[in-house]
Amino acid sequence: MRSAEAHVWDDSRVKGGLPGLQELRARTIAAGATQIGWKIGFGSAALMESLGTTGALVGFLTSASVVTDGDEVSIGGWTAPRLEPELAVRLGSDVSVGADRAVLQASIEALAPAIELVDLDLPPSDLPGVVAGNIFHRHVVLGEFVTGASLPERVEVRRNGELRAVAEDPAALPGETIALIGHVADSLHARGEQLRAGEIIITGSTTPLLEIAAGEDYEVTIPGLGNVTTKLRN
């Protein structure tokens, strides 16, 4: 069992956004979407220090925001579009609150490269609004999942074929993947839910968020896992 610590979801600012987050998810599912997993954001040490938070925020993923690998995405009208190169984890077993490291590691069924597209339409300091808006999430592009793969040691981002960013230590910004799975499980428990087998977690940006514009094509490559691409249009 992990030791108990002050939980980010006990923060009154974060709590203030939870009803809006739950309402947004309920509306999305009622419109025909299927819940597929969870997203992590605001997990870098520098951002947590500046905001006075104690852990990453956890939002949701549904089929409504999934973009097929290689397809175009319209970002016309967005306030401040950004791209996040991420690792996607698919779980092979349920994960309960307080699970130890061995259980967390064993829960990983497969890994894939992922791209999250976000729109920074609020200041990060507006935590109730950020939480209620699902932590800026707009779309996710998932690569092919690979079973039995090792956690990544490098992430590369190319814009229009040219190298734009590299993460030599992909866990440096978002945090260690195994610990993040436990954090999601604990966060969901605090909301009366549980992390389930078959769900996907995108674990946070492996590089600083990348400013993007229509007309750009992006490819995220994780050696050992392959790549994932998207085309940005108005």
Side-chain angles (χ1 to χ4, degrees):
M1 296 282 289
R2 294 184 302 281
S3 58
E5 298 178 354
H7 202 284
V8 65
W9 294 104
D10 292 327
D11 188 310
S12 61
R13 299 167 297 172
V14 177
K15 279 185 173 181
L18 280 176
L21 178 68
Q22 301 289 51
E23 180 182 349
L24 176 60
R25 182 172 66 155
R27 288 201 314 268
T28 305
I29 292 172
T34 301
Q35 170 105 23
I36 63 168
W38 310 95
K39 63 153 288 175
I40 296 174
F42 280 45
S44 73
L47 187 54
M48 288 191 292
E49 182 177 1
S50 69
L51 295 175
T53 52
T54 59
L57 305 180
V58 177
F60 64 87
L61 297 177
T62 73
S63 58
S65 69
V66 175
V67 174
T68 301
D69 185 7
D71 277 3
E72 294 185 352
V73 177
S74 172
I75 60 172
W78 291 19
T79 302
R82 299 290 187 271
L83 182 145
E84 302 184 14
E86 304 200 22
L87 175 69
V89 178
R90 190 175 69 209
L91 301 174
S93 57
D94 294 354
V95 182
S96 299
V97 61
D100 63 28
R101 184 176 180 83
V103 170
L104 296 173
Q105 188 160 11
S107 73
I108 299 174
E109 179 182 69
L111 304 173
I115 293 171
E116 185 182 15
L117 298 172
V118 298
D119 185 15
L120 308 186
D121 57 351
L122 293 172
S125 58
D126 181 5
L127 282 178
V130 169
V131 171
N134 201 22
I135 322 170
F136 301 129
H137 179 75
R138 297 297 181 267
H139 295 290
V140 62
V141 191
L142 299 170
E144 184 175 350
F145 279 91
V146 179
T147 57
S150 299
L151 292 171
E153 298 181 355
R154 181 181 173 89
V155 176
E156 301 169 352
V157 184
R158 287 176 173 81
R159 177 182 58 190
N160 298 335
E162 296 185 358
L163 190 66
R164 180 174 181 189
V166 174
E168 298 284 2
D169 180 2
L173 282 179
E176 185 194 28
T177 302
I178 294 171
L180 289 172
I181 296 170
H183 178 71
V184 174
D186 293 352
S187 296
L188 296 181
H189 176 78
R191 290 151 51 174
E193 302 186 68
Q194 184 176 1
L195 187 55
R196 299 290 186 183
E199 291 185 323
I200 293 166
I201 301 172
I202 54 172
T203 57
S205 188
T206 59
T207 71
L209 273 62
L210 301 174
E211 293 188 23
I212 54 177
E216 297 176 334
D217 297 346
Y218 277 88
E219 177 183 56
V220 171
T221 301
I222 301 181
L225 294 180
N227 58 24
V228 62
T229 63
T230 193
K231 302 174 182 179
L232 306 177
R233 302 293 182 260
N234 278 320

